[in-house]
């Protein structure tokens, strides 16, 4: 199979305004794609922290526990897309 033959199934897509601070780990059953449109957010997974700003994106694999945080004063906007290859 080549990359041209992949047909991902988009299960969920949303533009999110604002960010809640989560004090617990989350875990997706699909691939999860975040694209930061405005502001900054901190992603924690695999014991590493990543600070993303507008224009950055991150993909999290299925079954990977992660946490998303931002300052309450930070006005974060991002696109969230869940997909798989089934």
């Amino acid at each position: 199979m080549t990359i041209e033959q992949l047909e991902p199934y988009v299960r969920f897509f949303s533009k999110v305004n604002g960010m809640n601070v989560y004090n617990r780990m989350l875990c997706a059953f699909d691939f999860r794609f975040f694209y930061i449109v405005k502001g900054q957010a901190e992603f924690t997974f695999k014991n590493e922290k990543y600070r993303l700003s507008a224009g950055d994106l991150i993909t999290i694999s299925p079954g990977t526990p992660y946490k998303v945080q931002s300052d309450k004063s930070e006005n974060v906007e991002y696109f969230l897309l869940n997909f798989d290859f089934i």
Side-chain angles (χ1 to χ4, degrees), residues 3-40:
I3 196 163
E4 291 84 14
Q5 294 171 314
L6 290 177
E7 294 184 22
Y9 175 76
V10 175
R11 192 171 312 284
F12 178 80
F13 177 79
S14 180
K15 182 176 182 186
V16 180
N17 295 309
M19 173 78 69
N20 293 326
V21 176
Y22 296 101
N23 292 322
R24 62 183 172 88
M25 298 297 280
L26 304 171
C27 188
F29 296 103
D30 296 328
F31 286 91
R32 197 160 275 183
F33 174 92
F34 293 88
Y35 177 75
I36 309 299
V37 177
K38 178 181 174 185
Q40 294 184 348

Side-chain angles (χ1 to χ4, degrees), residues 15-26 34 36 38 40-44 51 66-78 80:
K15 182 176 182 186
V16 180
N17 295 309
M19 173 78 69
N20 293 326
V21 176
Y22 296 101
N23 292 322
R24 62 183 172 88
M25 298 297 280
L26 304 171
F34 293 88
I36 309 299
K38 178 181 174 185
Q40 294 184 348
E42 183 177 87
F43 288 77
T44 304
R51 188 91 172 147
Y66 70 93
K67 187 188 296 187
V68 182
Q69 294 178 289
S70 74
D71 295 333
K72 289 185 179 184
S73 62
E74 185 77 41
N75 188 15
V76 175
E77 291 182 10
Y78 61 94
L80 171 60

